[in-house]
Amino acid sequence: MKTRQKRIQLLLWILPVFTAAGLLPYHAKSGAAQKGPSTSYYTHGRIYTNDPEHPWAEAMAVSEGRITCIGKMDHVLTDCGGGQEGVDTLNLRGQFVMPGFNDAHVHLGMAAADELAVPLMAYRRPKRCRNVLRRLSRITNR
C-alpha cells in the first residue's frame, strides 16, 4: 500500500512539471506572435528591381515574404529600420539578386546544346576558327 501511495505522490509531483514544460513552447509562440512580423534586410547586393527608372538597388527589406523597402544602402538602413541593433541582416557580398523570379525548370535539350556549342564569335579570322575547331575535334575524338 505504501508503494502505491508513493507512486501517486510522485506522479502528482511530476505531472505539473511535464504539463508546464509541454505548454512552454506554445507560450513562446504566442509571445513571438505579439511581437509582430520580423523584417529581414539584404545589404551590399546587386539587386535587380525591374523598374526602368531605377533598375538596380544595393539593399532591400523583406517582411512576411514581401519587399517592403528597396533602394540605396543608406535609404534602407536609415529610413526602413535596417540600422537598428538585433535586426536580421544578410550581407550579400555583391551577389546578384532578382526578387520574385523563380525559374525552377530547365529544357534539357537546350542546356545540352549550349554545352556542346563552340563559341566562335570571339574569333574574327576564319583561320583562327578552323584552328579552334581542329583542336576541339582532337579532344573529342580521343
Side-chain angles (χ1 to χ4, degrees):
M1 192 68 149
K2 280 188 174 184
T3 308
R4 184 174 177 179
Q5 226 174 9
K6 285 184 180 182
R7 284 184 185 170
I8 291 173
Q9 285 178 348
L10 182 64
L11 184 63
L12 290 175
W13 181 82
I14 291 176
L15 190 61
V17 172
F18 281 113
T19 304
L23 293 176
L24 192 60
Y26 295 108
H27 177 70
K29 285 181 185 176
S30 67
Q34 290 172 357
K35 194 189 307 183
S38 66
T39 302
S40 298
Y41 296 90
Y42 299 87
T43 60
H44 302 286
R46 292 179 48 240
I47 304 167
Y48 183 69
T49 65
N50 205 24
D51 178 0
E53 292 181 24
H54 307 284
W56 296 99
E58 299 170 345
M60 72 177 170
V62 178
S63 181
E64 295 185 1
R66 295 190 179 269
I67 298 170
T68 56
C69 185
I70 190 164
K72 297 269 186 203
M73 184 78 64
D74 57 346
H75 165 66
V76 173
L77 292 179
T78 56
D79 300 337
C80 305
Q84 299 172 6
E85 274 189 49
V87 295
D88 183 24
T89 304
L90 177 66
N91 184 340
L92 296 170
R93 297 187 176 119
Q95 293 182 20
F96 173 77
V97 176
M98 187 176 216
F101 184 80
N102 180 14
D103 185 4
H105 76 280
V106 65
H107 295 269
L108 293 176
M110 292 173 73
D114 289 345
E115 288 298 317
L116 295 174
V118 179
L120 297 175
M121 296 301 286
Y123 306 107
R124 294 186 180 163
R125 296 184 181 155
K127 185 176 181 179
R128 292 281 305 208
C129 289
R130 282 192 300 269
N131 290 340
V132 168
L133 290 171
R134 279 190 194 117
R135 251 186 279 132
L136 287 173
S137 69
R138 284 188 216 124
I139 293 170
T140 56
N141 288 332
R142 290 184 183 174

